[in-house]
Amino acid sequence: MSAPADLLLRTGPKAAEEVVDTYRELAGPVVEKVRDADFRTQWQAMADLGVLRLAAADDTGPGPVTRSLAMIEGIGLAGADPGICYALASQVFGMQFPLRAALAEDAWRAIAEVQDGGTLLCHALTERSGGSDPFSMRTRARREGDVFVLDGAKTFITAAPVADRAIVFARTGEGRSPFALSAFLFPLDIPGVVRAESFTKTALPSVPMGELVFEGARLPAGSLIGDEGSGLAVMASTTAWERAVILGYALGPMRRTLRRIVEWAAGRDHFGRRMGASHQVASRVSEMALALHRSRVQLYAMAALLDAGTPARQLAAEAALTKISVSEDYVRLTEHATALSGVRAFIADSELPADLHSPMAALTYAGPNDLLRVGIARQFGLPVEN
Ligand SMILES: Cc1cc2nc3c(=O)[nH]c(=O)nc-3n(C[C@H](O)[C@H](O)[C@H](O)COP(=O)(O)OP(=O)(O)OC[C@H]3O[C@@H](n4cnc5c(N)ncnc54)[C@H](O)[C@@H]3O)c2cc1C
């Protein structure tokens, strides 16, 4: 893409743009080296670049959230597999930041090695009976002295087949009381934890997904996050974090797609003229730029709010709006790219293969968009229930 067009996309804070550029350059050769490696090798290679490392709030440069967002955008721009970018964003924003905020200093220090990549986390909420309604969960933790014993199963969990530790939500009370759920963080190599089925995904296929079954698993003392009964509050925090910034993973892939399509339209001849000379083609390219622009502005705005110390739970509505907007713009951008690529969109080893499944999956995870819309309308005072 020519320099002026690239400048149009420089919508992040200046210090963040420097991080994006640094990580694009740093990651380039690493991405090439590990392109065909397994998930864990690619994960470790990105962790070795520092992508999982949370900056301290008083470090110079952009705030910690903005910095993480820019690092993930940078490696995506360098061509890192979108699935790896997704998994990194999921752990950094949906787990590490909320845990650092929720855990006492010594508890966070005890798991801080997750930032080196050697220990991988997963976030286990969904069950076979449904993911949208947390109160439908059947996984149960019963107290025995100062430990909890866990029974049940969590299904469709990103990274479950390879994770070392899990954040697991379980029922410690009855019914739909806001205090009926609790959250736990514990290692997965304890007796009573079984890694059951693995799922072959059509979206983000490079990231493993699986099921965790708990059969009388005695959780180590200290596994409870917060207080017994505070699971819904923990979940409100992890999901608000996710909704606010997880789709930052898509910025690098979106920019790469736009660049490829611009080059394609600029260089290909159609009907005796350049394809890009068609107003309809130009219009689709502009729509792609708009989708990317809206997404960048919103994601960096959310990062700035979080960096300013706004508690994630207070940003629930803005986070939901951002998640809906960016996920739908990611789908839209990919649809335009697919239309402009012709048959090549459907040829796996062409120069323009399309992947619509991965953007479409973003409409579902971190809260299905339809249900997020219901929550937003409720915030405006409409008497609408899920
Ligand atoms: C790529 C990917 C990664 C994932 N990773 C994880 C993970 O790491 N951890 C985890 O816990 N889960 C994960 N999930 C699961 C995800 O969180 C759930 O899919 C999601 O919460 C929805 O749950 P469900 O699929 O059971 O859909 P359901 O709850 O069965 O809902 C299905 C659909 O029905 C519609 N619907 C249902 N009820 C209503 C209503 N009242 N009003 C309007 N529409 C309604 C919605 O459109 C919804 O999408 C992942 C999913 C995907 C696709």
Side-chain angles (χ1 to χ4, degrees):
M1 186 183 291
S2 67
D6 218 12
L7 281 178
L8 280 178
L9 298 171
R10 305 214 147 250
T11 44
K14 189 168 180 314
E17 299 296 357
E18 285 167 15
V19 177
V20 173
D21 286 340
T22 303
Y23 272 80
R24 170 174 29 191
E25 275 171 34
L26 271 178
V30 182
V31 165
E32 279 314 310
K33 196 166 151 214
V34 299
R35 183 167 300 289
D36 298 320
D38 62 17
F39 174 79
R40 210 53 206 249
T41 305
Q42 293 192 51
W43 175 269
Q44 191 59 56
M46 294 303 124
D48 289 344
L49 294 176
V51 179
L52 290 168
R53 194 148 284 287
L54 309 189
D58 55 358
D59 277 359
T60 53
V65 186
T66 302
R67 187 176 163 75
S68 293
L69 184 58
M71 288 194 286
I72 289 172
E73 181 176 355
I75 63 160
L77 261 181
D81 180 278
I84 298 294
C85 297
Y86 163 80
L88 289 162
S90 168
Q91 174 162 313
V92 168
F93 299 127
M95 294 176 247
Q96 289 183 200
F97 274 110
L99 283 175
R100 186 165 81 168
L103 297 177
E105 183 65 30
D106 53 344
W108 165 249
R109 253 200 317 274
I111 60 143
E113 87 270 4
V114 296
Q115 298 174 99
D116 300 328
T119 300
L120 214 145
L121 300 175
C122 67
H123 185 270
L125 172 60
T126 305
E127 304 190 357
R128 277 183 195 266
S129 53
S132 310
D133 174 15
F135 288 113
S136 71
M137 80 172 55
R138 294 183 189 151
T139 298
R140 182 172 291 277
R142 82 174 178 277
R143 192 183 259 288
E144 279 188 11
D146 62 350
V147 301
F148 286 85
V149 180
L150 194 62
D151 284 286
K154 296 288 175 180
T155 317
F156 310 120
I157 308 303
T158 297
V162 292
D164 304 291
R165 286 173 182 264
I167 299 172
V168 176
F169 295 88
R171 188 168 272 294
T172 45
E174 300 308 320
R176 300 184 74 85
S177 153
F179 306 107
L181 309 179
S182 298
F184 302 88
L185 170 65
F186 57 88
L188 290 171
D189 59 358
I190 58 174
V193 177
V194 180
R195 283 179 221 263
E197 194 174 346
S198 288
F199 304 99
T200 305
K201 283 197 271 70
T202 53
L204 303 163
S206 57
V207 190
M209 175 183 263
E211 182 173 51
L212 298 170
V213 174
F214 310 109
E215 295 168 340
R218 290 180 71 80
L219 307 185
S223 298
L224 188 63
I225 302 174
D227 298 319
E228 184 172 344
S230 69
L232 201 61
V234 175
M235 192 185 304
S237 166
T238 57
T239 53
W241 269 96
E242 268 195 327
R243 289 166 191 166
V245 268
I246 192 175
L247 277 155
Y249 101 82
L251 289 178
M254 286 167 91
R255 285 178 75 165
R256 283 173 67 85
T257 301
L258 175 56
R259 186 167 49 207
R260 277 205 305 271
I261 290 296
V262 169
E263 285 166 3
W264 168 248
R268 184 170 164 81
D269 285 329
H270 255 178
F271 303 107
R273 60 180 184 179
R274 285 294 145 105
M275 182 179 160
S278 147
H279 284 142
Q280 202 157 357
V281 170
S283 167
R284 281 191 186 273
V285 168
S286 300
E287 289 300 326
M288 291 173 73
L290 272 169
L292 175 54
H293 176 72
R294 275 192 297 263
S295 299
R296 281 198 101 219
V297 169
Q298 289 181 67
L299 287 162
Y300 279 100
M302 291 309 293
L305 284 168
L306 290 161
D307 279 331
T310 319
R313 287 180 59 195
Q314 279 178 21
L315 293 172
E318 290 88 344
L321 289 165
T322 304
K323 191 269 178 175
I324 293 171
S325 177
V326 180
S327 59
E328 294 180 2
D329 269 338
Y330 189 17
V331 171
R332 231 170 261 135
L333 178 142
T334 312
E335 282 173 354
H336 287 304
T338 304
L340 292 176
S341 304
V343 66
R344 286 144 213 86
F346 308 99
I347 308 292
D349 59 358
S350 80
E351 65 274 48
L352 294 168
D355 168 16
L356 274 162
H357 278 108
S358 298
M360 291 288 290
L363 309 181
T364 291
Y365 58 70
N369 286 7
D370 283 356
L371 284 164
L372 294 183
R373 282 188 160 85
V374 171
I376 289 162
R378 201 164 42 231
Q379 297 240 355
F380 279 106
L382 293 190
V384 55
E385 297 297 329
N386 285 340

